Amino acid sequence: MERPMLDKDGTRSKSGTRLRAHRTHGTGVAGWLAAIATAMSLLFLAPAFAQTHQHGAAAATDTAQTQTEPATPVAEQPVPGANAAASVSYHNPTTFTLKTGIAIGRMVYIGVGGDINGQVNPTLMVHKGELVQINLINGEGAEHDVVIDQYGARSSIVVGKNASSTFSFTAGKVGEFAYFCSIAGHRQAGMEGLIQVMAGPREAMASDAADVVRDPADLPGPIGQRAPKVVKVDLETVELVGKLDDGTTYTYWTFGSKIPGPFVRVRVGDTVEVHLKNAADSVMAHSVDFHAATGPGGGAHATQTDPGNETVVTFKALKPGIYVYHCATPSVAHHITSGMYGLILVEPEGGLPQVDREFYVMQGELYTVEPFGTQGEMEMDYDKLISERPEYFLFNGAVGSLTKTHPLYASAGETVRIFFGVGGPNFTSSFHVIGEIFDSVYSMGSIISPPIQGVQTVTVPPGGATIVDFKIDRGGHYVLVDHALSRAERGLAGYLIVDGPEDDDIMHLGPAEEPAK
Ligand SMILES: [Cu+2]
């Protein structure tokens, strides 16, 4: 099931209450850019680095919406060239999750997680000035939404059981305001609660965010020669606050608390028995669609799994290849952007050609309310998601993932293989390693077809993958990029650090030497 059940309500994008914070440049990106610029004279990157991007009129007020009190005005727009450091926004968004359901014969919202867990139509307590995010989950299948008139804020309509949506607004006015479902008759039937906005700031909360980056060297070794068998694959879906950048966090949804999910390795003819466990403290239902599988939804139909439950699906690995797997619970794009993707390699009989080192890297985008580089806890912006306007582009889930915390390491003379996939959900990667040429590329992830030879850049679509092999002839720093290099400004870069002699016949500083007589 590849097609997300997206919302039919387009009004959310016009909410005038979104906080627009000022942007600061990530020092990590600056650091590696500087390193490249000096080491490789890639001076063409410099002008782009100095620029500040502009926001359009995305936060225009919805004139069709009745607002009994003025919505909080949108914070000042970033001005190109303005001193970003003077106006950094620090804030802690307050997130609530409401699930629709039936209680005492009424239609209601039920709180999920935190202080409101299990409460019917819980009162949402926030402080003035806070950024409030409300997640809505459809718990029983009828159509619902959440509206707060006073803030001109509303979710889109969630259609179908387990569908979800997210919206946010700034609680700019002290008082008690109603939230309710605007579907005809639902408010009267019981779908109504209060949001209480208190004066004064909340005490700052400590941030100890987890490292969600999967080390690119974390993958199982080759299978090689063996007969087909039944392979059991355990996947656990985990939602956690992870480190997106220095001083910046994001609530990720993951397979196994890391991004990408575990590298699954089988051989053609294997029977793959997938056990999908959804952690008990999850808020959302999750599932898995294996592109290596043949059958409805790639397993997604059989694995829609509520928090605390486990499902099992079994498929035969019919065709060798490198394939993406991902969560396929609506809204699918939301689950994927949050980190729910990984790769499965179906080896051909006898395996792939041997190499010295194998690595596992995946690319994805994040759509945050706050501009790239903002400090604090980021939250997902559904409007940007469905209009494909990401703030972050990432390898393995975080800024600096493969430059600062988990670079790729190899030695000169070794052969290197990178399994590279794109979770996306939306952007095709032009995958390139600065300073190298791929000797062999398994284009489009096809292993049955012979690899193509001598490739600079390989295009990898969302939900697609490739395998690149190359021999490293000399030491030095090589840089993994998407050659759509504007994305390097938004977090997308990795280092391949190679031990060995750096100055030799292949490349050296200065002019060519006279040929020896
Ligand atoms: Cu999911």
Side-chain angles (χ1 to χ4, degrees):
M1 78 176 255
E2 292 286 355
R3 199 158 54 89
M5 288 194 276
L6 292 177
D7 315 275
K8 54 189 184 185
D9 177 356
T11 59
R12 174 183 1 203
S13 62
K14 299 183 182 89
S15 162
T17 56
R18 292 273 158 88
L19 180 88
R20 301 283 164 187
H22 279 270
R23 167 192 194 201
T24 57
H25 290 287
T27 52
V29 176
W32 81 257
L33 269 173
I36 298 179
T38 44
M40 299 183 169
S41 302
L42 289 180
L43 296 173
F44 62 90
L45 285 175
F49 174 55
Q51 238 166 37
T52 305
H53 70 286
Q54 291 197 43
H55 290 280
T61 304
D62 182 358
T63 50
Q65 222 166 25
T66 311
Q67 294 176 349
T68 54
E69 293 182 40
T72 303
V74 171
E76 326 86 85
Q77 299 287 320
V79 179
N83 182 358
S87 49
V88 178
S89 167
Y90 293 91
H91 65 273
N92 297 308
T94 306
T95 302
F96 300 101
T97 300
L98 300 173
K99 191 168 189 169
T100 66
I102 304 290
I104 329 165
R106 296 187 307 152
M107 274 197 266
V108 296
Y109 299 104
I110 299 166
V112 180
D115 295 340
I116 62 168
N117 195 35
Q119 291 181 22
V120 171
N121 293 332
T123 297
L124 310 179
M125 314 278 276
V126 305
H127 288 258
K128 188 186 176 198
E130 283 182 330
L131 187 59
V132 181
Q133 176 177 333
I134 297 180
N135 304 317
L136 176 65
I137 304 173
N138 191 320
E140 26 55 63
E143 296 191 2
H144 301 290
D145 65 4
V146 178
V147 174
I148 302 168
D149 264 348
Q150 285 85 354
Y151 287 117
R154 58 167 58 224
S155 75
S156 56
I157 297 172
V158 288
V159 181
K161 190 170 190 292
N162 287 332
S164 67
S165 74
T166 296
F167 70 106
S168 56
F169 57 91
T170 301
K173 191 174 174 60
V174 172
E176 281 189 350
F177 311 103
Y179 66 86
F180 59 90
C181 180
S182 75
I183 306 293
H186 286 198
R187 184 176 187 176
Q188 293 74 9
M191 300 191 75
E192 183 175 24
L194 284 178
I195 177 164
Q196 191 171 8
V197 183
M198 295 166 282
R202 186 187 298 254
E203 283 177 26
M205 51 187 172
S207 166
D208 66 297
D211 176 10
V212 294
V213 175
R214 180 162 311 272
D215 191 288
D218 178 15
L219 72 168
I223 291 169
Q225 286 292 355
R226 71 155 167 76
K229 65 174 189 179
V230 176
V231 178
K232 187 181 173 209
V233 174
D234 285 302
L235 291 176
E236 184 180 23
T237 55
V238 179
E239 302 165 5
L240 76 170
V241 175
K243 185 180 163 188
L244 169 59
D245 197 354
D246 291 334
T248 303
T249 60
Y250 184 78
T251 300
Y252 292 91
W253 300 345
T254 67
F255 291 103
S257 304
K258 296 285 180 188
I259 299 165
F263 190 93
V264 180
R265 195 158 193 162
V266 301
R267 62 147 285 171
V268 65
D270 277 351
T271 299
V272 185
E273 183 185 298
V274 181
H275 293 245
L276 184 73
K277 184 167 179 275
N278 190 351
D281 62 354
S282 289
V283 167
M284 313 300 293
H286 298 293
S287 59
V288 64
D289 169 350
F290 277 95
H291 290 185
T294 306
H301 289 11
T303 56
Q304 297 296 332
T305 310
D306 286 327
N309 288 354
E310 181 178 324
T311 55
V312 182
V313 68
T314 301
F315 68 88
K316 259 222 146 64
L318 298 176
K319 280 200 201 321
I322 181 78
Y323 299 99
V324 168
Y325 68 84
H326 62 88
C327 180
T329 299
S331 294
V332 179
H334 185 184
H335 286 251
I336 291 176
T337 187
S338 300
M340 303 197 75
Y341 45 82
L343 290 180
I344 174 172
L345 173 66
V346 180
E347 292 192 0
E349 181 139 25
L352 292 167
Q354 275 202 333
V355 291
D356 296 313
R357 289 179 195 270
E358 291 184 333
F359 297 105
Y360 175 28
V361 178
M362 287 189 80
Q363 178 171 329
E365 316 109 36
L366 276 192
Y367 301 79
T368 55
V369 172
E370 304 82 355
F372 174 83
T374 307
Q375 300 268 302
E377 190 173 337
M378 304 295 100
E379 17 128 39
M380 212 276 296
D381 186 315
Y382 199 84
D383 302 328
K384 289 182 183 174
L385 176 65
I386 60 174
S387 55
E388 303 186 19
R389 290 184 290 121
E391 291 292 339
Y392 290 82
F393 285 89
L394 305 165
F395 289 138
N396 290 13
V399 176
S401 56
L402 307 185
T403 52
K404 284 188 279 186
T405 53
H406 304 279
L408 290 65
Y409 292 103
S411 298
E414 288 184 327
T415 48
V416 165
R417 168 172 296 151
I418 302 174
F419 298 102
F420 180 81
V422 176
N426 296 317
F427 283 75
T428 294
S429 179
S430 303
F431 183 58
H432 174 71
V433 176
I434 297 176
E436 262 299 340
I437 301 164
F438 304 138
D439 296 326
S440 295
V441 171
Y442 296 80
S443 189
M444 299 294 165
S446 169
I447 292 176
I448 301 169
S449 315
I452 54 174
Q453 312 283 319
V455 175
Q456 62 192 311
T457 299
V458 56
T459 186
V460 185
T466 192
I467 306 170
V468 298
D469 291 358
F470 53 101
K471 182 166 185 286
I472 307 177
D473 296 304
R474 65 192 298 287
H477 275 52
Y478 299 82
V479 188
L480 280 64
V481 293
D482 176 338
H483 216 287
L485 279 166
S486 297
R487 300 171 190 176
E489 307 273 341
R490 291 176 176 269
L492 199 54
Y495 284 146
L496 169 60
I497 299 172
V498 179
D499 282 341
E502 298 192 4
D503 197 346
D504 56 18
D505 288 344
I506 298 169
M507 182 184 276
H508 61 257
L509 282 171
E513 282 163 28
E514 292 294 315
K517 289 241 167 154

